[in-house]
């Protein structure tokens, strides 16, 4: 998308995300107990697993919303657990979308998309608004730029949140159960936007309970339980022919 070289100083041959022996404890509670995996550039990796298995913690470690207890996380080859790494720089390459949208309630959809562009990217208002409008159009909300979050449906709010993340021109997007808070009839529009992003080649890590999405859009499916990756592989293969008892047990409850 960008004409200027957006990868300056970045090792483009490295995986987009590489996690090596990641451990994370909260007090005595070790919730990630040695996670290893990678996401290649342009890949969509879906993460499933029971509540409390550490999915959100893993995602939050990847952009350092949580500090890992030990292990390494490399983003485009840069070790973000290294104290010398400029975290803001790395974070700005990663878009994050949460279950609860987290829009600014007192700002219009357009302003929700421009504020970080202006404050973090240093863009002028005109440029930020142009990029915001492109991204609102992309998620099918060109006519909602003046609307405040409270006047949008949950599905529309989530699409604004996706457009907001895209306005920062991330190299990759992390989604934490983006459709779990939505009424069932609103889920499809959000998944369609995500599917289109994937088709355009966006690198994505998606924690989700939408097995259809994982099967159709995911390049890889990761099943977590009890702070470890129990099983990973081709989504259709994992969903139809799970190898581990814990995967079988989980899938028998959700499919
Ligand atoms: P999931 O997203 O798979 O449901 P989480 O990563 O949210 O799982 O949580 C994994 C475990 O870590 C849970 O036992 C949870 O209570 C604990 N946990 C998550 N965040 C915190 C925190 N900030 N402080 C203490 N414990 C936490
Ligand atoms: Mg979670």
């Amino acid at each position: 998308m960008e004409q200027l070289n957006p990868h300056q100083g970045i090792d483009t041959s490295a995986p987009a995300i590489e996690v090596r022996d990641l451990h994370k404890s909260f007090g005595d509670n070790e919730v990630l107990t040695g996670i290893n995996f990678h996401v290649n550039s342009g890949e969509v990796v879906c993460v499933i697993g029971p509540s409390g298995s550490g999915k959100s913690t893993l995602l939050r470690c990847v952009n350092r919303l949580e500090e890992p207890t030990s292990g390494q996380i490399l983003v485009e080859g840069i070790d973000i657990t290294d104290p010398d790494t400029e975290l803001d720089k790395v974070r700005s390459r990663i878009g994050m979308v949460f279950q609860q949208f987290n829009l600014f309630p007192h700002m219009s959809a357009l302003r929700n998309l421009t504020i970080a562009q202006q404050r973090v990217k240093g863009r002028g208002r005109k440029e930020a608004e142009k990029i915001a409008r492109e991204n609102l159009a992309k998620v099918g909300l060109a006519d909602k730029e003046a609307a405040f979050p409270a006047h949008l449906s949950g599905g529309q709010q989530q699409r604004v949140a996706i457009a907001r993340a895209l306005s920062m021109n991330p190299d990759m997007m992390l989604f934490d159960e983006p459709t779990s808070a939505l009424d069932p009839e609103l889920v499809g529009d959000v998944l369609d936007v995500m599917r289109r992003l994937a088709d355009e080649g966006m690198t994505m890590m998606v924690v989700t309970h939408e097995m259809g999405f994982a099967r159709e859009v995911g390049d890889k499916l990761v099943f977590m339980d009890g702070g470890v990756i129990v099983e990973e592989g081709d989504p259709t293969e994992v969903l139809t022919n799970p190898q581990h008892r814990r995967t079988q047990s989980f899938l028998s409850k959700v499919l």
Side-chain angles (χ1 to χ4, degrees), residues 137-173:
K138 190 169 184 164
V139 301
L141 294 174
D143 56 337
K144 296 292 184 192
E145 66 170 64
F148 284 73
H151 296 140
L152 297 170
S153 74
Q156 290 170 334
Q157 288 184 58
Q158 191 59 298
R159 285 185 282 150
V160 170
I162 294 170
R164 177 175 63 177
L166 292 175
S167 295
M168 303 297 281
N169 302 103
D171 289 351
M172 64 197 77
M173 292 276 286

Side-chain angles (χ1 to χ4, degrees), residues 3-248:
Q3 298 306 311
L4 299 169
N5 178 9
H7 298 292
Q8 209 167 23
I10 300 280
D11 179 358
T12 49
S13 67
I17 302 168
E18 186 170 2
V19 174
R20 297 178 183 161
D21 197 26
L22 173 66
H23 291 250
K24 173 64 183 175
S25 299
F26 294 105
D28 298 341
N29 186 15
E30 188 172 55
V31 302
L32 298 177
T33 61
I35 300 273
N36 291 282
F37 81 99
H38 66 272
V39 182
N40 288 320
S41 180
E43 244 181 2
V44 177
V45 174
C46 294
V47 182
I48 61 171
S51 179
S53 57
K55 306 180 298 295
S56 295
T57 303
L58 172 60
L59 220 57
R60 291 167 61 81
C61 282
V62 169
N63 67 353
R64 285 290 303 272
L65 289 174
E66 297 289 355
E67 190 169 352
T69 305
S70 66
Q72 274 186 315
I73 299 173
L74 291 91
V75 172
E76 294 172 325
I78 295 171
D79 185 353
I80 64 164
T81 50
D82 181 336
D84 291 337
T85 298
E86 287 181 64
L87 265 189
D88 287 348
K89 242 184 178 165
V90 178
R91 274 204 193 110
S92 74
R93 302 182 193 285
I94 307 175
M96 178 103 187
V97 173
F98 302 90
Q99 183 174 333
Q100 294 299 342
F101 329 136
N102 296 355
L103 297 177
F104 301 115
H106 57 293
M107 292 178 193
S108 68
L110 189 74
R111 189 68 185 129
N112 263 281
L113 268 63
T114 57
I115 184 161
Q117 292 188 64
Q118 293 181 244
R119 294 206 179 152
V120 180
K121 291 269 185 201
R123 290 176 184 154
R125 187 172 64 88
K126 279 232 162 76
E127 188 193 4
E129 287 184 348
K130 178 171 173 285
I131 292 168
R133 291 195 172 101
E134 285 167 7
N135 283 299
L136 283 174
K138 190 169 184 164
V139 301
L141 294 174
D143 56 337
K144 296 292 184 192
E145 66 170 64
F148 284 73
H151 296 140
L152 297 170
S153 74
Q156 290 170 334
Q157 288 184 58
Q158 191 59 298
R159 285 185 282 150
V160 170
I162 294 170
R164 177 175 63 177
L166 292 175
S167 295
M168 303 297 281
N169 302 103
D171 289 351
M172 64 197 77
M173 292 276 286
L174 311 180
F175 294 86
D176 194 356
E177 300 198 33
T179 61
S180 292
L182 301 179
D183 292 333
E185 74 273 20
L186 303 178
V187 168
D189 287 343
V190 172
L191 293 181
D192 284 346
V193 165
M194 293 169 62
R195 184 176 285 120
R196 231 174 306 134
L197 262 185
D199 287 345
E200 288 173 7
M202 177 62 80
T203 305
M204 294 165 52
M205 190 171 162
V206 185
V207 175
T208 187
H209 297 294
E210 296 291 333
M211 301 300 164
F213 178 87
R215 187 198 310 256
E216 289 158 28
V217 182
D219 295 298
K220 191 159 74 183
L221 183 60
V222 170
F223 171 67
M224 282 181 72
D225 194 10
V228 295
I229 292 176
V230 174
E231 185 164 351
E232 64 177 284
D234 172 73
T236 303
E237 190 62 24
V238 173
L239 290 172
T240 55
N241 189 21
Q243 297 299 302
H244 291 260
R245 194 184 45 74
R246 282 149 88 185
T247 321
Q248 291 161 4

